[in-house]
Amino acid sequence: QLQLVESGGGFVEPGGSLRLSCTAATFTLNYYAIGWFRQAPGKEREGVSCISDINSDGYSDYADSVKGRFTTSRDNAKFTVYLQMDRMIPEDTAMYYCAAGPSCHGTQPRMDYWGHGTLVNVSA
């Protein structure tokens, strides 16, 4: 069982930045692909980004809506995956979740473990 904990959410003005963290208690996280997802009120959950596991090719991918603004990265020594969010817009407001699965590849990569989420609110 892999337990994921998200942190770093909060309030930010449009144009601002936040960095979310997804942490596990053990190195096991390093051997999973980690996806970031978000769900806004009244909307379906959408994939935001995905980064491959430590043994893979460093592959990462992003939703079109965040390309060029968001960056995901890993700190394997800290068992942590980050989502750096820059030039944020009100449409980025949502609950953000990280999840772990075997791979980032595929239209909807399978995720086996989920965190409880961290809330992001972008408003003036």
Side-chain angles (χ1 to χ4, degrees):
Q1 191 78 6
L2 182 66
Q3 293 185 324
L4 304 174
V5 178
E6 302 95 336
S7 62
F11 287 85
V12 63
E13 293 185 349
S17 298
L18 281 176
R19 188 178 76 163
L20 305 183
S21 299
C22 175
T23 303
T26 74
F27 64 89
T28 307
L29 177 139
N30 296 345
Y31 296 95
Y32 284 90
I34 301 297
W36 284 97
F37 299 80
R38 66 186 182 185
Q39 187 166 19
K43 295 188 177 181
E44 292 187 356
R45 186 178 66 200
E46 65 169 334
V48 175
S49 68
C50 191
I51 187 167
S52 60
D53 67 274
I54 189 174
N55 289 326
S56 296
D57 54 3
Y59 173 85
S60 62
D61 197 12
Y62 301 88
D64 289 341
S65 58
V66 306
K67 277 182 180 176
R69 300 189 299 118
F70 290 10
T71 305
T72 187
S73 61
R74 310 187 72 114
D75 186 333
N76 297 319
K78 295 183 178 179
F79 319 144
T80 299
V81 173
Y82 300 104
L83 182 67
Q84 177 68 40
M85 303 185 293
D86 298 318
R87 302 197 307 277
M88 298 183 74
I89 59 178
E91 290 77 12
D92 294 325
T93 296
M95 184 71 81
Y96 283 71
Y97 303 88
C98 67
S103 172
C104 289
H105 297 288
T107 303
Q108 293 184 330
R110 189 189 89 212
M111 294 291 160
D112 298 323
Y113 302 100
W114 292 82
H116 293 292
T118 185
L119 184 61
V120 171
N121 190 311
V122 185
S123 61

